[in-house]
Amino acid sequence: MEPAVVGARLASSVVSPLIRKLFLNGVPGAELVDRPVRVSRLVSFRGEQRSLSDKDMHRVAEELVARAVQATGEEQLPSYEVRAVTNAVASSLRVMGTLDMDDVQAVNLGHMGLARHLRAMSRTAVLGLSADAVELHASVLDTACLHILNFFTQRSAFVPRTLVEQSRSIEELTRKIDSLITRAPSPADDPFEKRYARYITDKHGKLSIFGLDLSQGPENWLLNVAYLSLDAVGDATGALPTRVSADQVLGAQNRVLLRGVAGSGKTTLVQWLAVSTTRPGQLDLFGLVPFVLPLRTLTRGGSKLPAPDEFLSAVDCPIAALQPAGWFDRVLRAGRGLILIDGIDEIPEDDRNDARRWLREPISTYPGNRWLVTSRPSAVREHWLSGDGFAEADLAPMSRDNIADFVIRWHKAAGISDQYAHELLRAVRVKQDLGRLATNPLMCGLICALHQDRRGYLPEGRKEIYDAALSMLLFRRDRERGVYKPGSIRIGEAHHIQLIQKLAYWMIRNGRSEMDRADAVDLLAQALPSMPKVAEQGTAEEIYRHLLIRSGLLREPSVQSMDFIHRTFQDYLGAKAAVEGLDFDFLIANAHLDQWEDVIRMAIAHSRLTERTRLLTGIIRRDDVTAHGMNRLHLLAAACLEHATELDPEVRAEVQQRAGALIPPRTADQARALIEVGPVVLDLLPTPPDAPPREKRPAGERDERPDEEKAAAQRAADEAYFTVFAATRIATDAAIDVLARYRGYHDLRVRNELVGAWSRFDTNIYGQEVIAHLDPDQLYFPVSNPAELQAISSFGGRARIKIIGDFTAVDFLNGCRQAQLTHLWVASDIGDSWRWLREFPHLHSLTIETSLPHLDVAPLASVLPLRTISLPKGVAVSGMESLPSSMEVVRMQHDVE
């Protein structure tokens, strides 16, 4: 224990109020004399004007010592010695009542001199104390004396000439100490961060997988077992790689806005990144301090978004009050913060610009940290945060391999035979509608649970799947598990749904993702009189508890609030309530708001024929929104056609005509809007014009075409790129026909999109229809598995290959046509011997993408054809002296395509 450090960490805001209790306020006659007042006349614990009792004096000492102990970050002294130090501090402070010096003499003595004087006059106070206890007593007394002298200077207005300079120096010293408290590393920081890391692991280290609680499996998986790594796709700016593992996006950029549809795994990714800070790994996040900020929680009840020092308390972190003074500032100034802002779409659209302004202030104050913001695709426009240095990416749908991995792990965790898993995978591949739904973790878990619950039978459409899931959650699991007991509350499935959908629609109408618990109970109390069979079984509070525990749909993120396990179920049930309440005008009036998109889609699914006609015509014929809003409405109406099982042909044609006017897309926002529409948009995408002829110009030669011709060519290239961008992310088998139309385009952006989407489709079909026909000029062909590598070889091989999957060197050598390879990009761990590269006689360019901090290039000396080795920035390189002079090692930007 270092007494100077411990004492200095008692901030003036804490100590000054305690010290003032030791002295009288406004001593009569003090301002009338021409000389300073004796210290003994100023104290409040002796004399005729005594206002502080011995017990009060002991409490002041106790508070000073407690603050000092807290500043160390852990109790280094046993409790009995802390009490002994408290008694010693009280004894030393009492000496002030016997001091013969005046306040000017005390100030001139200085705070260290005054502290030594008090200790010298109370030597017996520390008898029997350990060395650590004596040091703690000294540090507390030193700091107390600093603030005692500061108090004297502030009250001694009648001697300004004597005290003015000393007052200034002491106040400056106080300010410097307060600054030291907030900026210098504190002994308390490390113990607190270890405790906070344990809290993060406990809070976010488990993942609820839908449907597991309906089997014999655990209700939660450990996150490091359950986490499924999905891909993120960078935008056209090149700030992020064209395709990268989603958990690696913060390795390429410090600030990322990540978009993903409902259920795509955004929140799970946030959990994974937060927990990754607590353990070493490949993400390079270990040692950072995560701040997980779900906006639905932060804005609960209209709360103001928090400042950085309120991040922990705003999310009800139980140890928020224990954070050392100035800790958050030290963490963020050092660039050690990982700020994870989940769900910008969870707050009302009108409040999002305020949220952006709120975000800008800490970014400008603490620029060196890592920031991730998540949102649904349609909630914020393209480049919404680009001005603040954010790159943008989209979570890709689950690939076939992702789906297979998820299904197999789900069944294993549930303790179910692999036979069920393989049967389900066959059904997903054969049934196009089912495969179209199984594109994100939420829907995959839902389909697994239904397949197991219904012994292999699965509904076809999204609405039917949700209906079956609700039946399974609300009714069948309790009945089949024998949960009901005599005298317990029993609510039928229909009443269950009626009550919960009232909560859902209230939240939707009020723009909430969470609901105050008290409001939920009040709403149920209003509904119960119309349900006498339910009302007679309990109070509104008891019914609420029953719904919370037994429905499987509701949860309490805090003791004061309630929400749905996933926003999808809130939207589905809220839409049902709106249709049953004939609230069509309200639905139409809010259809342009992105938070209502899924509600509108589900309302169409719940509606009858005449109701669908009213909703769709009302949406597409609105004339009270901007052109951008109108485009959104027309595309939303097109997305609803998927759920309109029966519809007037004229209405369907009008919807398709209006949506068709927005195609082909010309911006990323328009492309994302089409992605939101879903597979139905594939039928609306036009056949492209003949691919423009490839033009080769000598290096440095100017493009002499007229400006109008160049602009037209650029528009055509943009339309082709964004059309492919949309179709690759819809990623159903029907998209292959659309993408094959663009295989002749030479534009590198188009070809990069086409080749990067291979893993989302059937390897052989997509390979034969698209990959085999792409112009290989300057294009790296990614291979994520041996089947793709074999397909590349069957097409005659390619000069440029990028390894993005798990391969051994032997696997790659066996599958690759060695004579064709001239450029190799290694973006996965394939070993570090590199001597196997000697088998490629024409290889002259090697790009190594690694997360390792160090790379030894000496083994590459024997790869004689090699001329250029490209490495990402930030990697330490050794072995350079072993390379021949003909080889060059260069640093690259992350994406060199």
Side-chain angles (χ1 to χ4, degrees), residues 343-614:
I344 200 75
D345 56 284
E346 301 272 11
I347 59 178
E349 192 166 3
D350 291 343
D351 295 338
R352 288 177 198 156
N353 284 332
D354 291 337
R356 182 170 53 181
R357 285 189 288 270
W358 162 76
L359 184 60
R360 281 173 175 165
E361 184 172 347
I363 286 177
S364 61
T365 306
Y366 306 108
N369 298 277
R370 304 196 202 189
W371 303 76
L372 179 74
V373 179
T374 72
S375 173
R376 285 188 300 163
S378 59
V380 292
R381 68 177 187 276
E382 184 185 9
H383 305 314
W384 190 64
L385 289 174
S386 295
D388 300 300
F390 277 75
E392 297 186 359
D394 293 89
L395 271 176
M398 293 173 70
S399 67
R400 287 174 176 264
D401 290 341
N402 292 149
I403 295 170
D405 188 18
F406 183 98
V407 169
I408 290 172
R409 284 199 282 169
W410 189 98
H411 284 79
K412 183 177 180 180
I416 300 172
S417 168
D418 287 347
Q419 179 181 352
Y420 272 91
H422 295 305
E423 287 177 358
L424 177 57
L425 287 174
R426 281 195 296 272
V428 170
R429 285 192 289 267
V430 171
K431 296 183 178 181
Q432 184 173 346
D433 287 344
L434 193 61
R436 185 159 42 86
L437 291 173
T439 56
N440 64 62
L442 173 70
M443 291 304 298
C444 267
L446 188 57
I447 289 170
C448 287
L450 286 171
H451 182 262
Q452 187 265 337
D453 184 69
R454 295 185 165 217
R455 294 170 177 81
Y457 168 75
L458 281 171
E460 295 293 332
R462 186 181 297 269
K463 178 182 181 298
E464 289 74 19
I465 285 181
Y466 286 150
D467 285 338
L470 291 174
S471 176
M472 178 175 60
L473 285 168
L474 300 177
F475 188 63
R476 292 188 58 191
R477 72 171 185 173
D478 280 351
R479 183 188 65 191
E480 295 179 3
R481 286 182 169 188
V483 170
Y484 292 128
K485 298 178 181 178
S488 64
I489 294 176
R490 302 189 65 171
I491 303 177
E493 183 176 344
H495 284 139
H496 237 133
I497 293 176
Q498 285 291 323
L499 289 171
I500 293 178
Q501 72 186 35
K502 290 181 183 296
L503 300 176
Y505 196 41
W506 184 95
M507 294 166 72
I508 291 169
R509 287 186 67 103
N510 287 277
R512 303 281 186 84
S513 295
E514 288 188 6
M515 186 175 186
D516 288 346
R517 187 182 187 279
D519 289 337
V521 174
D522 288 345
L523 191 62
L524 292 175
Q526 297 173 30
L528 286 178
S530 61
M531 301 180 183
K533 289 186 178 181
V534 177
E536 66 187 15
Q537 298 189 58
T539 64
E541 175 69 31
E542 292 169 336
I543 298 300
Y544 168 78
R545 294 301 305 171
H546 175 80
L547 295 176
L548 183 70
I549 295 170
R550 301 273 21 111
S551 73
L553 288 175
L554 306 177
R555 64 183 179 184
E556 284 187 341
S558 72
V559 294
Q560 297 91 13
S561 63
M562 176 277 298
D563 68 358
F564 281 78
I565 59 169
H566 199 278
R567 177 66 182 264
T568 297
F569 293 109
Q570 176 185 321
D571 291 343
Y572 179 79
L573 289 170
K576 187 172 183 294
V579 171
E580 291 178 1
L582 304 179
D583 214 351
F584 300 114
D585 289 340
F586 193 73
L587 289 172
I588 293 169
N590 287 278
H592 65 290
L593 302 175
D594 64 85
Q595 286 185 308
W596 285 75
E597 287 183 3
D598 287 340
V599 180
I600 300 297
R601 294 189 196 190
M602 291 298 99
I604 294 293
H606 286 297
S607 299
R608 293 166 294 191
L609 176 59
T610 56
E611 294 167 342
R612 287 189 191 123
T613 298
R614 178 178 175 184

Side-chain angles (χ1 to χ4, degrees), residues 611-630:
E611 294 167 342
R612 287 189 191 123
T613 298
R614 178 178 175 184
L615 272 173
L616 286 173
T617 54
I619 288 171
I620 62 177
R621 295 174 184 175
R622 279 184 58 180
D623 57 3
D624 60 334
V625 293
T626 63
H628 176 74
M630 186 63 71

Side-chain angles (χ1 to χ4, degrees), residues 859-878:
L860 294 171
S862 60
V863 187
L864 296 181
L866 196 60
R867 297 197 299 269
T868 304
I869 306 167
S870 299
L871 299 173
K873 291 182 178 180
V875 175
V877 180
S878 63

Side-chain angles (χ1 to χ4, degrees), residues 41 148 189 215 247 252 337 340 509 703 717 854 878 880:
R41 288 191 58 195
I148 287 169
D189 288 357
S215 66
D247 51 24
L340 304 166
R509 287 186 67 103
D703 185 352
H854 173 265
S878 63
M880 292 279 291

Side-chain angles (χ1 to χ4, degrees), residues 728-804:
T728 56
R729 285 153 180 80
I730 294 173
T732 66
D733 289 343
I736 296 178
D737 291 337
V738 175
L739 296 172
R741 304 170 195 165
Y742 292 86
R743 64 193 188 187
Y745 264 72
H746 178 67
D747 185 277
L748 186 58
R749 292 184 304 165
V750 174
R751 290 185 290 133
N752 271 328
E753 281 295 323
L754 290 170
V755 79
W758 193 2
S759 62
R760 303 180 198 173
F761 300 94
D762 180 90
T763 299
N764 292 326
I765 296 175
Y766 191 83
Q768 293 167 5
E769 294 295 321
V770 178
I771 300 296
H773 303 272
L774 294 176
D775 183 348
D777 182 47
Q778 301 298 311
L779 181 66
Y780 277 91
F781 287 77
V783 290
S784 60
N785 55 61
E788 292 176 351
L789 184 59
Q790 183 61 43
I792 289 287
S793 295
S794 71
F795 304 149
R798 291 294 184 269
R800 296 171 181 256
I801 292 180
K802 180 176 181 179
I803 303 175
I804 61 173

Side-chain angles (χ1 to χ4, degrees), residues 57-67 82-83 86 89:
M57 161 71 87
H58 189 274
R59 286 175 179 166
V60 170
E62 186 177 38
E63 179 68 13
L64 288 170
V65 173
R67 291 284 182 170
V82 173
R83 290 194 295 271
T86 297
V89 170

